[in-house]
Amino acid sequence: MPSDQISPAFSIATALPSFVLGRVYHRSQDLHSAFGGGEQSGISNSARAPVTFLFTGSGERYGYADRFDEEGTFFYFGEGQKGDMKFVRGNLAVLNHSSQGKALHLFRVIGKGKGQKYLGEFVYQDHDWVTAADVDGKPRNAIIFRLVPVARLEQLELASADAPVEDVSLQESRNRAIAASKVNGSQESKKGSRTIYERSRAVRDYVLQRAAGKCELCELPAPFRRNDGLPYLEPHHTTRLSDGGPDHPQFVAALCPACHREVHYGEHAQVKNLTLKERLQVLEASGPA
């Protein structure tokens, strides 16, 4: 396998978790029985499915103070009740979820025995270190993750009027996309929100160039052209059911609007998405023509 490819941790046939915004789920039967992950921790990283579950709303007594800002970014305290937090286990899973091809799904605990309300899918942006009290009231170094809603990235990505970089070969565009996708939280970038948007755009530019104006699922030409004259296709991330978010280009396709909606909401969405994943693996294994 070429060194610039990701070795998938899961079978391409692995079912992708899908949840309805605002719906209440029961943690044991609806989440862990179906998709794996531990049932106790606030960060539950599954070894069976490409997902890491995050739970908020029950850690106030441990010094956690999760919150949303006015733009929808979620500030999520890392795990660890006593002493300094460290980048191990759940914290490490959040840090590197994108490079591992895992989606972050956030739930709010609404009361003992009442279930967990689904708040959406998020992408790691960056993190800060703060001084906060632990469960014993002692000061310690704590991690606060900044998580961006995938829905916001989707809106920005689809609405972007920016044309891809001109006069760049397909191989160079691919090199840039792979380099961008390898940027992950362990590098502790301080570029803020620009980081994930730049990563997302680098991958988007490459897959649109790779598609050469044709949908990578139905293989028909783009149905219309954008106002800059370029064929209109939409990036689709096959590792998760929602769009958006930075990822390795072997998991991202360029689709016409009809195919894009079908792989999300169609009767045979899961089969279509599996076909697409297989096709992308073949494309990326051989590299640009």
Side-chain angles (χ1 to χ4, degrees), residues 6-17 35-36 45-52 97 99-103 239 250-251 274 277 281:
I6 289 177
S7 178
F10 307 95
S11 164
I12 56 177
T14 300
L16 293 172
F35 303 108
N45 187 37
S46 174
R48 285 169 39 196
V51 61
T52 298
H97 80 95
S99 63
Q100 296 300 312
K102 287 193 170 186
T239 58
Q250 85 177 60
F251 302 132
L274 177 58
K277 292 171 76 172
Q281 284 194 330

Side-chain angles (χ1 to χ4, degrees), residues 216 236 238 253 255 272-280:
E216 292 185 311
H236 167 67
T238 62
L255 303 183
K272 293 279 188 178
N273 201 57
L274 177 58
T275 298
L276 191 56
K277 292 171 76 172
E278 293 173 335
R279 185 170 296 169
L280 292 180

Side-chain angles (χ1 to χ4, degrees), residues 253-269:
L255 303 183
C256 67
C259 282
H260 197 182
R261 293 306 92 185
E262 185 175 11
V263 297
H264 282 276
Y265 308 115
E267 180 182 4
H268 304 294

Side-chain angles (χ1 to χ4, degrees), residues 66-251:
D66 302 343
R67 65 180 179 86
F68 281 100
D69 72 5
E70 64 278 2
E71 293 184 346
T73 298
F74 192 70
F75 294 81
Y76 185 80
F77 269 66
E79 67 178 7
Q81 297 179 12
K82 291 186 178 182
D84 293 341
M85 293 183 184
K86 298 179 180 179
F87 277 114
V88 295
R89 296 183 294 277
N91 292 335
L92 190 63
V94 175
L95 190 73
N96 294 327
H97 80 95
S98 185
S99 63
Q100 296 300 312
K102 287 193 170 186
L104 296 179
H105 289 288
L106 177 65
F107 295 81
R108 183 182 299 281
V109 178
I110 57 176
K112 187 175 182 179
K114 295 181 179 179
Q116 290 75 30
K117 182 178 180 180
Y118 183 54
L119 302 183
E121 184 182 347
F122 289 74
V123 175
Y124 167 90
Q125 175 179 312
D126 59 12
H127 65 271
D128 283 328
W129 289 95
V130 300
T131 300
D134 67 9
V135 68
D136 295 326
K138 298 179 180 179
R140 47 81 176 268
N141 293 318
I143 302 164
I144 300 181
F145 293 105
R146 286 189 182 88
L147 306 177
V148 174
V150 163
R152 174 147 51 107
L153 288 177
E154 173 186 344
Q155 292 166 359
L156 293 173
E157 194 171 59
L158 296 182
S160 174
D162 296 335
V165 178
E166 297 180 359
D167 300 324
V168 174
S169 69
L170 183 60
Q171 183 61 58
E172 176 59 25
S173 181
R174 183 173 188 265
N175 291 343
R176 293 180 181 184
I178 290 170
S181 72
K182 288 182 178 179
V183 175
N184 59 45
S186 62
Q187 294 175 297
E188 297 192 39
S189 171
K190 296 301 181 183
K191 293 174 66 178
S193 61
R194 288 191 302 144
T195 303
I196 55 173
Y197 301 133
E198 289 172 0
R199 289 163 62 188
S200 185
R201 177 174 175 175
V203 176
R204 182 205 69 170
D205 286 355
Y206 166 63
V207 299
L208 292 177
Q209 190 172 356
R210 180 185 66 196
K214 292 185 178 180
C215 173
E216 292 185 311
L217 185 56
C218 70
E219 301 183 321
L220 294 176
F224 59 90
R225 291 186 175 271
R226 301 173 4 153
N227 56 16
D228 58 11
L230 295 173
Y232 181 83
L233 296 170
E234 299 176 348
H236 167 67
H237 295 249
T238 62
T239 58
R240 52 186 72 124
L241 287 183
S242 49
D243 289 335
D247 216 336
H248 189 283
Q250 85 177 60
F251 302 132

